[in-house]
Amino acid sequence: MKKRLGAVLLAVAAVFTFVPVASAQGHAELTNIRTGKHDGYERVVLDLNGLPSNSMSREATEVSNCASGNPVPMAGNEILETMFFGAASYDENFNPTYTGPRNFVPQGLTNVKGIAFTCDFEATMGIAVSYDNPNSWHKVFTLTNPDRVVIDIYSY
């Protein structure tokens, strides 16, 4: 009886060991980055196939690349960095789904000074948005049909 129970527990442990690896393969794919100016705020839109499983935002005065640790140069006085878990700029075969710039100054905006990738590794994607107005506040949210993440930078 003890041998059978041990074998069952070993089999269950083996199954649970492989389940997270299989489920980690799927991720949202970035296809485009768009920007827009509105009354009182400026918007950055990340167009995606699917949505990230989770995200985390932080305000910073500087950001660095998640793999190398090297600083990511950005204009502006403030930076909002958002890490998206379960998202990348490539598909499951590592073919790029986003081929645009990875560190750029958006055209037509006055407060937002830059957009840059800070991470794009193992389905973790970091996007930093730099801005000038220290009195700005932000809102990060998702929309569907089509799937997208919206980053609004509000100004007083």
Side-chain angles (χ1 to χ4, degrees), residues 36-104:
K37 186 167 180 57
H38 303 275
D39 285 338
Y41 66 98
E42 294 176 351
R43 176 168 281 182
V44 176
V45 178
L46 309 176
D47 293 321
L48 299 156
N49 292 328
L51 291 173
S53 58
N54 204 350
S55 67
M56 177 180 66
S57 297
R58 72 178 185 104
E59 294 178 344
T61 55
E62 59 185 31
V63 289
S64 58
N65 182 280
C66 72
S68 68
N70 293 332
V72 175
M74 299 191 77
N77 296 315
E78 305 286 333
I79 300 172
L80 173 66
E81 181 181 32
T82 304
M83 298 300 285
F84 300 99
F85 305 100
S89 69
Y90 50 85
D91 66 18
E92 301 215 6
N93 295 314
F94 301 101
N95 298 310
T97 57
Y98 172 76
T99 57
R102 299 182 80 77
N103 189 337
F104 64 99

